[in-house]
Each structure stands twice: as structure tokens, then as C-alpha cells.
Amino acid sequence: MSIKVCKFGGTSMADGSTIQKVANIVKSDKDRRYVVVSAPGKRFSNDVKVTDMLYECARAAADTGNCAAPFSKIRQRFENIVAELGLKMDIGGVLDETEKRICEEKSADFAASRGEYLSGRIMAELLDVPFVDAQDVIRFNDEGTFDAEESYALVARALADKPYAVVAGFYGAYKDGKVKTFSRGGSDISGAVVARAVLADLYENWTDVSGFLACDPRIVERPQGIKVLSYKELRELSYMGANVLHSESIFPVRGANIPINIRNTFRAEDEGTMIVPLSKYRYTGNIVTGIAGKKNFTVIHIEKSMMNSEIGFTRKILSILEENNISFEHMPSGIDTMSLVIDSNVLQLGMLDRLLTEIEQTVNPDHVRVYNNIALIATVGHGMSSSIGTSGRLFKALSDANINVRMIDQGSSELNIIVGVADEDCNRAIKAIYNEFFGEKAKA
Ligand code: ADP
Ligand code: ASP
Ligand code: MG
């Protein structure tokens, strides 16, 4: 008997009828042994996710010591779910206790974690299997980083005597028991951790689309589906904004070569996307596998003649970033130029000016220019390295769409080409690249 770990996202857990679909999917395959769940997400487009409502409760608890008003909506959602599913559990009692603890703990992480805790308890009741509280098995170390080895050991121990179980997604705890969450969308990581801990044969990630698509379906209508994706392609695409899967969920499974299958809870018959190690990857014939984009970067462009022959130039620049505790995303360079691409969110008030002053003082550049509100777009695919003229086609598509390219970075692995454009051109650029490689002309 093989082991499948299945993670179900927020839309799959949104209400009683979707949760019943989840239960049917789980029960239809006895290998689906460990189920990891998200908190209830949106039921319709302008609905509010339970996680967002819980952050609201945490704010109210911190400000006034009371979160009864925002909690009442959460109470209603869970009571409806339990009633729709016809479960006998004392959800009222669990909710009373949850509200009380949110007020006592005054921690945003604790409050946010309760969405997954509650939906996990409900799913365990519905499937009639044990519930495993992630607080006991997912560990963060004192610096707040995820402790992978300790977590794998704790999860494996907790599940050793349980052939079937439900584990709450998204959160874990420090050694002292204080609850901490992953970043948003983090139940994908929890699922990957459970898969790794039990050395699963497959990690199924069930969501609301039939797999990874060639680009964001909110940008291009009905983009082509991707049948097979390598771990490397996944990492590039998810990091650059294809948030169908959290970009960090790859690490636990990659170490044990566990494939990921992205599936659609609402079209369970669709095969979805398989994400596999390179050794199992077969070239699909597509030059480009997918395109993803992310907005809000700042580019610091530094020019200095003979920069390349100045020993220690790059080190000095990187030391400035390090001393100010700033990480950078990319560093494309030419003979006399270098650009630092930094996520604008990490540049707190005054930090950009400080970096510019230190760069001036330390390396005495000829020119320094700053570009704000830059979007990065990654065009990714193993097929690109063996196909002549890919970048020519990409840049022609962008220029035909009248899009000004501010920066170019072609990864040395030839797995991706990254271009920087103005934030407001981001979606148009993705559409132009998509049409070039997947549109009618590309098929002809
Ligand atoms: P879940 O709640 O199941 O974790 P998410 O909302 O986190 O689901 O992820 C699924 C969503 O990701 C899709 O509904 C889609 O809008 C979005 N998405 C963005 N880029 C892509 C892509 N390349 N392929 C598929 N979905 C994508
Ligand atoms: N519920 C959390 C969020 O909304 C985690 C997740 O769904 O993966 O971000
Ligand atoms: Mg998600």
C-alpha cells in the first residue's frame, strides 16, 4: 500500500458542501492516508477568508481586549459548516474556548492559526480519524525559522501508530509551545513537511484549478495547462508569483524526490500537473513551460568605468547590503554596470537614501540611477536552452506590445529569462509573452 499525503486549500474547505467533496475524494482512494487542511477560504469572489477574519480578531483583542464582534462572523461560518455536514461535535464549546484564548494570547499568529485548527478538527470528525495538532509536530527554532529535521522527526513519530490522520496546516510552534505560522499560503509547506516525514509516494495538493497553468488565469483567460513541471521550474515560477503553490513547499519534498500532483477539488477527474525531479522529467516539446510576474521592486543601477577590473567592487556593494540587513533578488551585471534588484517592501523609510549614500562613499561610482515600481517577469522552461532565438522572440513580442524593458537577467542555467518592466506594464507583458509562445501563432 502506498502513502499519499493530500493537502486541501481554502476554497476546498470553504463550506459544508466543498468539505463534503474533500471527504469523498479522500475516501475514494485508501492510499490517501494523511490529510492536511487550510482554513475556510472564499466562497465567492468578494467573500472574506477565515484567516483574514482571524487577523482582524487579533487586532481587536490587542486594541480593546475583546474580539467578540469580529469573532461572531467566524463562529457563524464554523457553526454553519458543522450543521451542513450533520456532525455531532460540540463546535460551540470549541469556539468559546478559541475566542477566549485569542483574547488572552494577543498574538496574531495564534489567532490566524485557529482557522486551520478548527477546520482540521472538523475534517478529522468527518473522516472519523485522529486529529494531529500542528503545534505539537511542526517546530520553529528560536530565530523563528522552520526547523525541518526536528519537524520531520516529530511528525513521523506522531503518525507512526496512525494509519490515517488529519493534520492542521499553516502553523507550528516554538519549543516552548508558543504558536507561530508560516507566511501566507503556508499550508502548502505543511503538506510538504508531512509528505517528507512519512516518506510519501505522492504529495497531492488539491486546489481550485486543474493544475499549474502556463500563467496566472487572472491575467490570461484559460491559459494552457502544464502536464509536467520539474522542481526547478516550479521553484522559479512560484517564487516569481505563480502562487498556486507556496514557493517554499518544494524544499521538504525535493530532498526525498517525492512528486507533487496539483489537482482540482471541483474537477477531481482531471489529472492536473505532476511536479517531478529532473531525473524523471521528460521534455514536453514546449520551449516555454510557464510565465510568472511579481510587482514592486526597486532597481539600483550602478555605472563605473573599469568596474570589472576593480578588485573587490562587488564585495564592497554586497557588504553595504549585508550591513544594512537587506537581501537582494537579482544582480544582473555588464562590463561597467551592475544592478541591484531589491523587493521594495524591505526598503523601510530612509533605507534607500542610506544605501545610495553608502554606495557613493564606498565605491565612488560614475552614475547611480534608481528605478521604482518595477515588475519582474520570469519566462521559464528547460526547453529554452536548446531552442535558438527564444530571447529574440520574447523581446520582439514585448516591443510589438510597446512595452519598455528596463532590465534583463538571463539565469546562467538558461532555465529562465527575467525582464524588468514598469509595474503598470506587468500584466500586458505577461499576455504578450504568453501569446508569443502559446497563442494561435505559436500553434501554427
Ligand atoms: P488554495 O486556497 O487551494 O491554496 P490558492 O488561491 O493559494 O489556492 O492558489 C490557487 C490559485 O492560484 C488559482 O485559483 C489561481 O487564481 C492562482 N494562480 C496564479 N498563478 C497560477 C498558475 N500559474 N497556475 C494556476 N493557478 C495560478
Ligand atoms: N489560511 C492561510 C492563508 O490564508 C494558509 C493557507 O491557506 O495556506 O494564508
Ligand atoms: Mg494556497
Side-chain angles (χ1 to χ4, degrees):
M1 189 161 136
S2 68
I3 301 180
K4 291 179 186 165
V5 170
C6 319
K7 176 260 172 179
F8 291 88
T11 31
S12 308
M13 297 297 296
D15 62 25
S17 71
T18 64
I19 295 177
Q20 189 58 59
K21 279 193 184 28
V22 168
N24 295 345
I25 289 169
V26 174
K27 285 195 212 146
S28 69
D29 181 347
K30 62 180 182 351
D31 292 343
R32 294 192 173 120
R33 307 243 309 255
Y34 302 113
V35 176
V36 176
V37 291
S38 280
K42 292 185 180 189
R43 293 159 294 182
F44 39 87
S45 70
N46 55 354
D47 195 14
V48 184
K49 292 181 176 186
V50 162
T51 308
D52 291 309
M53 299 201 275
L54 286 161
Y55 282 121
E56 177 67 35
C57 290
R59 278 191 291 274
D63 292 349
T64 65
N66 181 311
C67 65
F71 195 79
S72 67
K73 293 188 210 125
I74 296 171
R75 182 180 289 278
Q76 204 166 41
R77 270 192 85 167
F78 281 107
E79 281 175 353
N80 285 350
I81 287 173
V82 168
E84 273 180 88
L85 293 169
L87 295 174
K88 298 254 162 347
M89 71 191 284
D90 172 25
I91 191 70
V94 181
L95 288 163
D96 289 344
E97 173 68 16
T98 304
E99 182 181 342
K100 191 168 135 251
R101 285 195 62 200
I102 289 175
C103 288
E104 285 165 7
E105 303 262 342
K106 292 193 174 46
S107 145
D109 277 26
F110 177 78
S113 73
R114 296 304 89 185
E116 272 68 11
Y117 172 80
L118 291 164
S119 63
R121 297 252 333 234
I122 291 170
M123 186 50 87
E125 190 78 19
L126 183 62
L127 294 172
D128 195 20
V129 301
F131 168 70
V132 175
D133 191 341
Q135 184 173 1
D136 303 327
V137 292
I138 303 284
R139 191 62 69 240
F140 291 90
N141 56 35
D142 295 345
E143 294 79 50
T145 50
F146 170 59
D147 187 339
E149 294 309 321
E150 180 71 5
S151 302
Y152 302 152
L154 288 168
V155 173
R157 203 176 313 147
L159 297 181
D161 61 349
K162 299 179 184 64
Y164 293 89
V166 171
V167 185
F170 191 38
Y171 69 94
Y174 294 98
K175 235 191 236 127
D176 65 3
K178 190 168 176 289
V179 166
K180 174 168 170 53
T181 66
F182 289 110
S183 57
R184 295 301 301 267
S187 299
D188 290 334
I189 309 175
S190 312
V193 172
V194 174
R196 169 63 179 270
V198 299
L199 293 177
D201 298 278
L202 184 65
Y203 171 29
E204 289 182 339
N205 190 292
W206 292 81
T207 181
D208 60 355
V209 278
S210 293
F212 223 101
L213 305 169
C215 68
D216 191 330
R218 293 162 298 187
I219 298 175
V220 168
E221 215 179 305
R222 276 187 271 126
Q224 192 174 307
I226 301 174
K227 280 206 167 88
V228 186
L229 201 62
S230 74
Y231 287 160
K232 282 191 173 175
E233 290 173 324
L234 166 73
R235 173 77 178 138
E236 301 283 346
L237 288 168
S238 58
Y239 188 77
M240 289 298 283
N243 48 15
V244 57
L245 200 64
H246 193 295
S247 63
E248 288 164 31
S249 33
I250 183 73
F251 299 118
V253 289
R254 192 175 64 181
N257 283 344
I258 299 166
I260 308 171
N261 188 196
I262 312 271
R263 298 284 292 267
N264 189 345
T265 300
F266 307 96
R267 289 181 57 100
E269 65 285 7
D270 290 353
E271 286 176 4
T273 302
M274 284 301 292
I275 303 170
V276 298
L278 211 50
S279 57
K280 301 254 166 61
Y281 181 82
R282 295 287 166 268
Y283 179 49
T284 56
N286 278 350
I287 299 172
V288 169
T289 303
I291 307 147
K294 210 167 159 184
K295 293 181 184 166
N296 207 17
F297 291 94
T298 299
V299 178
I300 304 176
H301 181 79
I302 306 163
E303 253 184 74
K304 186 174 187 189
S305 300
M306 309 287 287
M307 171 192 287
N308 265 0
S309 49
E310 189 175 322
I311 307 276
F313 187 91
T314 311
R315 181 185 50 75
K316 286 179 201 156
I317 297 279
L318 295 185
S319 313
I320 296 172
L321 295 182
E322 188 178 346
E323 276 152 25
N324 287 290
N325 208 12
I326 299 289
S327 60
F328 69 94
E329 306 288 320
H330 294 276
M331 195 180 60
S333 62
I335 304 170
D336 294 326
T337 62
M338 160 196 269
S339 294
L340 298 169
V341 183
I342 301 172
D343 181 347
S344 308
N345 296 315
V346 305
L347 294 172
Q348 311 282 347
L349 204 65
M351 180 52 83
L352 181 59
D353 288 338
R354 183 172 170 158
L355 293 179
L356 295 176
T357 309
E358 290 185 21
I359 289 170
E360 284 287 349
Q361 287 169 351
T362 318
V363 297
N364 192 24
D366 298 338
H367 300 287
V368 177
R369 240 170 284 142
V370 175
Y371 301 96
N372 288 308
N373 305 320
I374 295 291
L376 296 184
I377 294 163
T379 303
V380 176
H382 290 295
M384 297 196 313
S385 62
S386 54
S387 173
I388 297 166
T390 308
S391 47
R393 284 176 65 187
L394 188 150
F395 291 114
K396 179 158 185 322
L398 291 174
S399 97
D400 287 350
N402 230 344
I403 292 164
N404 188 6
V405 175
R406 307 285 182 83
M407 191 207 83
I408 302 166
D409 189 8
Q410 177 151 22
S412 54
S413 61
E414 291 188 62
L415 177 64
N416 63 3
I417 300 174
I418 293 172
V419 294
V421 302
D423 274 348
E424 66 263 25
D425 288 337
C426 179
N427 290 2
R428 275 196 322 116
I430 291 176
K431 274 188 202 155
I433 301 172
Y434 180 85
N435 286 336
E436 175 61 34
F437 292 99
F438 296 92
E440 287 310 316
K441 203 179 89 195
K443 282 186 207 140

